[in-house]
Amino acid sequence: MRFLYVLFLSICLLNGLNAQPNSGSKAPPTTFSATGYVRDAKTGKPIQGVNIVVLDVSKGYVTAKDGFYVVQLPPGKYILRFTHIGYRARQDTISLRQMLFREITMEDNAKDLEEVIVTSEAPDRNVRKVEIGVSQLTIRSIRRIPPLMGEVDIVRSLLLLPGVTTVGEGAPGFNVRGGSADQNLILFDDAPVFNSSHLMGFFSVFNPDVVRDVTLNRGGVAAAYGGRASSVLDVRIKEPDTEKWGVNGGIGLISSRLGVEGPIIKNKLSFLAAGRASFNDFLFKLAPPNLRGTTANFYDITTKLKYQPSEKHTVTFTGYISKDVFKLASDSLSGQEINASSTRFNYQSMTGSLHWNYFMNKQLNLSTSLILSRYKANLSSPDSANAFQLKSGVWHRQLKSDLTYTPNETHQWQAGLSIIDYQIQPNTREPGPLSNVLPVDLAREQAYELAAYIQDEWKLNDDVSLLAGLRYSELLNRGPATVRTYQENGPREDETVTSTETYGAGKIYHSMGGLEPRLSVRWSLGEGKAVKAGYSRLRQYIQQVTNTTAALPTSRWHLSDTYTKPVIADQWSLGYFRNTTDNAIELSGEVYYKLLTNAIDYRDGAELQLAEAVETQIVQGNGQAYGFEGLLRKNKGRWTGFMSYTFARTFLTMNSPFVAEQVNNGNPYPANYDKPHTLNVLATYRPTNWFNLSLNFTYSTGRPTTQPAAIARVAGVLVPIYVDRNQQRVPDYHRLDFSMTFEQNPAKKKRNQSSWVFSIYNVYAHKNAYSVFYKLSPAADADAYKLSIFGTAFPSLTYNFKF
């Protein structure tokens, strides 16, 4: 890794030398910087993507994610114009004689009915920015999507974007461009989240009241990110109000929310705290008898503390904690011939991130973060004869630092270092007091992940820009550990172990790593038109291994090691982006091709939960994913919305000289999440400032499934025979949602604000199949049954308030 450090220092030195005037040449004209933050006039929160135009000079700038801007000009008097959709434009006159710091506030335009649906930056960001395959959502746009049971959902809103799918209704996680759910790096103010759902997948863990914006990068991922093979979901928490205290919340049928924020020391130290909880047992008591024993509750608490002692230093701390309890009634599905039990799931998440941002000068900015993330899962069975608890956990500790260097208007360099300490408790089984179950305590997995990167966003000219980066990552497995040795000419099985070697605590016994190049290029074809191309290589050292369609909260996490190689994804993408003159209509199309190396799947008959050696239960091979993503969006007018279409295919090939390590006889087969066609349509009608109506329709091809090829009778018992994996599909999925929002008239200036949201999920009560299963009986070889999660329409009503 030393060459990366040397490379970065050399670049900084060279740029510094190039910035110095030659002794024999005329010194360049002096320039000064006008810097500051653009904030919302009411809330004091930073506004990202504000367009800043220097009148009579034809220069333009855009505020960053934290609302920060830098305008570099020669000495003189200038007029700056600030514009952003949803805010009133304003002008500010400055006189530059030295470096100037200036705070700008913008007022919400209550009369503006034209609303950006999916972008939180400048309206033509999709054309101007270099990145490809990036989608951004503001919390305002997410609230326009019809909610499930009145709960605004961050992750569910992503499913409307092209290239994002799920294996089924109510399934945890999401799939991006041919990747499994664990291949998405989900960040909550830089802290990774290992389970993004509440109630087994029905809701996401993110409280919408504290979210500022959401960015999904599924294409040319920047070099600053790594560790997952498919995408990066970056969820940012809003800044606490620095001017005044406020309270907000909501009351719904499923969950209720309450939050508070305000200054402890005005304009210097501010605080935010928000909680959300659901206590739904009373609803199940009103349900049919077979559901009355069900328990489904959760809570989460989010906090943020911001301290800004000066213009150069900002310190923030973000904390999050959540807990879920889910138990299905023992006879809840008996009427559908499903063997259910009263197994209880209990899982908890906790994250904390401490950030220090040091604005050195107009060219250098240093950001350092200390990050902690912990996920613990518990599965328990109350049956006295076989009672047990199954416990597992993941611990992630990280220290990282990023340096941004902007020598001029054509280059922006960024470099950084990161070290992660992983600890995984695969599973511990503890028997009950009178149980016949034996205890099991699997050895912990521990490793360090090291990374360094450097990248440059380079504007070659007015038409061509590129973002080039290089990342190096390495995983160091450390003891205590016991490593097996298997026969050279045989499959990895318990019976083929020839010896073992034990390593002491802290001993590095295996390492692996490599380079991860990243490149994005943009060509402008004229006003509002651009072509973009990108390539990225991503390495993933931590995987979730499961043999279920959707990963359970207790599914096992596993680190790459001597026998489990890291998943490597190489992706190429190409896209065309077009906006009308006023950015009222956006049109884009992207194609991509992805190669997966060391893709993971389970062996036939695998038992993963308590396997001492994971390599005896999984197989690794190759995969390929390819597809097309189209998006048409209308941003202005009383009717706004978008339509997205995705064609995507994902195939895996698990071949080996040994039959035990083959899947589908070594031939390619569709992945569990392979869904060729997906169509989403969202339309919002806003006739007044206080009322809007939204409709959402979604359609997708049914996911693959494996059905019995034949039925055999063995000693009078019917036994299903499975041949090839994932060769059939469940029925296609389609659904219509509806919502209405009634708000206070913004023309009437009131400190207290409130709104009512009425929604219907699955309007025409279509019984979409989550899975197809079979019951074997003497009367018939196999009877097929369809399991639907939401087989009826779900109305909901939510009251939101803020004062």
Side-chain angles (χ1 to χ4, degrees), residues 447-675:
Y448 297 114
E449 182 180 332
L450 310 178
Y453 76 91
I454 185 170
Q455 72 175 26
D456 178 31
E457 185 172 348
W458 181 15
K459 184 179 179 181
L460 281 74
N461 52 52
D462 291 338
D463 296 328
V464 182
S465 301
L466 64 85
L467 180 64
L470 186 64
R471 181 183 181 91
Y472 179 85
S473 63
E474 184 173 2
L475 187 77
L476 307 174
N477 298 101
R478 72 179 192 273
T482 300
V483 180
R484 294 178 169 187
T485 300
Y486 296 91
Q487 294 177 5
E488 291 186 6
N489 299 316
R492 293 180 189 140
E493 296 177 339
D494 293 338
E495 295 76 18
T496 61
V497 176
T498 59
S499 63
T500 60
E501 186 169 356
T502 301
Y503 297 88
K507 175 69 174 178
I508 303 298
Y509 64 88
H510 184 261
S511 65
M512 67 201 85
L515 294 172
E516 303 175 36
R518 317 284 172 84
L519 177 66
S520 296
V521 183
R522 169 192 173 272
W523 293 273
S524 174
L525 303 179
E527 184 67 25
K529 294 180 289 184
V531 172
K532 300 181 186 181
Y535 165 76
S536 64
R537 165 169 282 198
L538 300 167
R539 292 175 182 267
Q540 180 168 339
Y541 299 103
I542 181 171
Q543 299 87 18
Q544 192 174 33
V545 291
T546 179
N547 56 359
T548 57
T549 301
L552 295 172
T554 53
S555 294
R556 183 171 181 173
W557 287 90
H558 173 58
L559 288 169
S560 296
D561 56 19
T562 307
Y563 296 108
T564 304
K565 299 176 182 178
V567 178
I568 301 175
D570 291 281
Q571 181 179 199
W572 296 262
S573 53
L574 178 68
Y576 174 74
F577 302 82
R578 173 68 190 272
N579 287 12
T580 57
T581 303
D582 59 351
N583 297 303
I585 304 293
E586 297 180 19
L587 176 67
S588 66
E590 295 183 43
V591 293
Y592 67 90
Y593 180 77
K594 182 189 292 186
L595 276 178
L596 293 171
T597 305
N598 305 325
I600 294 178
D601 208 344
Y602 62 92
R603 298 190 187 191
D604 293 335
E607 297 181 2
L608 292 165
Q609 289 286 54
L610 294 173
E612 182 180 350
V614 174
E615 65 267 17
T616 64
Q617 306 297 317
I618 63 172
V619 289
Q620 288 192 275
N622 297 320
Q624 61 173 339
Y626 55 88
F628 165 80
E629 300 168 358
L631 179 66
L632 175 64
R633 180 162 60 227
K634 184 176 184 293
N635 292 326
K636 297 185 177 183
R638 297 184 183 274
W639 281 99
T640 58
F642 66 89
M643 177 175 65
S644 67
Y645 168 74
T646 302
F647 170 76
R649 299 306 311 269
T650 306
F651 295 95
L652 301 176
T653 303
M654 302 294 164
N655 200 5
S656 170
F658 313 108
V659 176
E661 296 179 345
Q662 293 179 353
V663 175
N664 199 25
N665 297 316
N667 299 314
Y669 61 95
N672 286 338
Y673 34 86
D674 175 69
K675 303 173 77 171

Side-chain angles (χ1 to χ4, degrees), residues 732-750:
D732 291 355
Y733 180 98
H734 53 89
R735 189 190 77 243
L736 176 68
D737 306 327
F738 164 83
S739 73
M740 293 188 300
T741 302
F742 299 87
E743 301 174 289
Q744 286 182 341
N745 191 340
K748 298 179 180 179
K749 303 293 184 179
K750 291 185 178 181

Side-chain angles (χ1 to χ4, degrees), residues 363-425:
Q363 292 182 327
L364 288 170
N365 187 82
L366 178 66
S367 178
T368 302
S369 303
L370 181 63
I371 299 164
L372 169 68
S373 181
R374 186 195 71 185
Y375 176 68
K376 297 172 68 176
N378 182 301
L379 182 151
S380 60
S381 175
D383 183 3
S384 58
N386 298 294
F388 70 90
Q389 287 193 51
L390 196 65
K391 299 179 179 180
S392 60
V394 182
W395 288 262
H396 171 114
R397 303 175 182 90
Q398 182 179 7
L399 176 64
K400 70 169 190 170
S401 188
D402 303 278
L403 179 66
T404 302
Y405 174 52
T406 310
N408 49 54
E409 295 182 0
T410 60
H411 286 277
Q412 185 179 67
W413 291 92
Q414 190 172 352
L417 302 171
S418 169
I419 178 171
I420 302 173
D421 176 15
Y422 286 118
Q423 290 190 39
I424 295 179
Q425 175 59 60

Side-chain angles (χ1 to χ4, degrees), residues 151 153 156 170-173 195-207 276-278 297-301 320-326 347 349 553:
E151 188 72 19
D153 194 278
R156 188 174 297 277
N195 187 342
S196 62
S197 65
H198 282 308
L199 299 185
M200 306 292 286
F202 291 122
F203 307 111
S204 72
V205 297
F206 307 112
N207 185 338
R276 184 173 55 152
S278 72
N297 296 315
F298 73 85
Y299 75 82
D300 59 53
I301 299 173
Y320 173 83
I321 186 170
S322 71
K323 183 177 181 179
D324 281 72
V325 177
F326 185 87
Y347 50 100
S349 294

Side-chain angles (χ1 to χ4, degrees), residues 40-166:
D40 187 292
K42 286 185 178 180
T43 65
K45 298 176 178 59
I47 307 174
Q48 176 187 5
V50 176
N51 282 319
I52 306 172
V53 177
V54 185
L55 301 184
D56 300 328
V57 180
S58 299
K59 279 194 173 186
Y61 304 85
V62 179
T63 58
K65 286 186 177 182
D66 56 358
F68 187 75
Y69 70 91
V70 178
V71 176
Q72 296 181 356
L73 296 166
K77 192 174 183 178
Y78 302 94
I79 299 176
L80 307 183
R81 179 175 173 82
F82 298 81
T83 59
H84 191 284
I85 287 185
Y87 290 89
R88 295 175 183 172
R90 65 161 293 177
Q91 294 184 175
D92 191 52
T93 302
I94 61 172
S95 180
L96 271 184
R97 295 291 182 267
Q98 58 185 358
M99 184 174 176
L100 178 67
F101 184 87
R102 205 172 186 88
E103 288 250 354
I104 302 296
T105 58
M106 299 184 70
E107 294 185 355
D108 190 2
N109 189 350
K111 297 180 180 180
D112 188 6
L113 300 181
E114 300 172 351
E115 180 174 41
V116 177
I117 297 298
V118 182
T119 181
S120 67
E121 284 202 352
D124 60 345
R125 181 193 190 281
N126 62 317
V127 175
R128 291 191 303 104
K129 287 292 187 179
V130 183
E131 302 98 323
I132 184 172
V134 178
S135 298
Q136 292 192 320
L137 297 93
T138 62
I139 192 60
R140 178 183 296 184
S141 65
I142 292 172
R143 292 186 187 279
R144 300 292 181 232
I145 301 171
L148 169 62
M149 301 181 187
E151 188 72 19
V152 175
D153 194 278
I154 304 300
V155 172
R156 188 174 297 277
S157 66
L158 300 176
L159 300 179
L160 299 180
L161 299 175
V164 185
T165 61
T166 179

Side-chain angles (χ1 to χ4, degrees), residues 224-244:
Y225 297 107
R228 299 295 188 275
S230 267
S231 73
V232 178
L233 176 64
D234 191 5
V235 180
R236 290 289 168 177
I237 304 304
K238 66 182 182 179
E239 302 291 328
D241 197 316
T242 59
E243 296 286 340
K244 59 183 181 299

